[in-house]
Amino acid sequence: MRALALVTMALTAAVLVACGGAGEAAPQAEAAEETMADEPQLVGVEWVAVSIAGQPAHEEVRSTINFDDEGLAFGEAGCNTFRGAYELEGDGISFGPMASTRMFCEDPRQEQEDRYLAALATVTRYEIAGGELRLLPADGGEPTRFTPAGSAAE
């Protein structure tokens, strides 16, 4: 019986050594997990535009986007609301046709809405870093940048 206990302890020790220690993760892996945990996720967050294709969003005009877990993107374009399908593949993102209400607004709301919807139509990639969502256009131009609603940067 004592021999069985010693063999079991030896095997357990060998497994722990082979797996990198007694439950200790590598420091790089821990840091990466903490960074990812601190970043907001794409789905379930209301994202507020702070710049559109490299131009600052008007402070008095709110352009947003939300992503649900069933492939629907929706938000406020500046004057009207919009909704449409989106699809993710790795860091790639594509949008289907967007349906929108058709109310006319005065500038700067109408101007920002036009820029915003045009920018969304060119997006092929996204990234989330530093608490910010960036929707990147196919031509490599300036991204449309967002922060989560209620954040200090909004």
Side-chain angles (χ1 to χ4, degrees):
M1 186 69 146
R2 185 167 187 215
L4 181 60
L6 287 174
V7 170
T8 302
M9 286 178 20
L11 287 174
T12 302
V15 168
L16 288 174
V17 168
C19 291
E24 294 178 20
Q28 298 87 355
E30 283 181 9
E33 285 177 17
E34 285 178 20
T35 300
M36 288 177 63
D38 292 343
E39 293 293 345
Q41 300 300 307
L42 182 67
V43 174
V45 174
E46 180 178 42
W47 294 99
V48 179
V50 294
S51 73
I52 301 167
Q55 297 179 353
H58 294 285
E59 287 183 24
E60 66 276 9
V61 181
R62 184 175 167 91
S63 296
T64 67
I65 194 164
N66 301 265
F67 300 90
D68 75 11
D69 58 2
E70 295 182 9
L72 180 67
F74 57 96
E76 301 171 41
C79 178
N80 292 284
T81 60
F82 68 92
R83 66 185 326 107
Y86 76 94
E87 192 172 310
L88 298 177
E89 188 172 321
D91 67 349
I93 188 169
S94 60
F95 294 99
M98 294 289 180
S100 174
T101 55
R102 297 283 189 189
M103 184 172 61
F104 177 79
C105 293
E106 297 294 323
D107 286 337
R109 293 177 68 166
Q110 190 66 52
E111 180 271 332
Q112 179 161 308
E113 176 170 305
D114 293 344
R115 278 192 304 130
Y116 182 63
L117 293 175
L120 288 181
T122 68
V123 170
T124 58
R125 229 169 32 89
Y126 80 98
E127 59 189 22
I128 298 174
E132 180 178 271
L133 168 65
R134 293 180 200 96
L135 296 180
L136 301 127
D139 67 4
E142 291 291 323
T144 296
R145 296 178 22 250
F146 301 82
T147 57
S151 70
E154 178 190 349

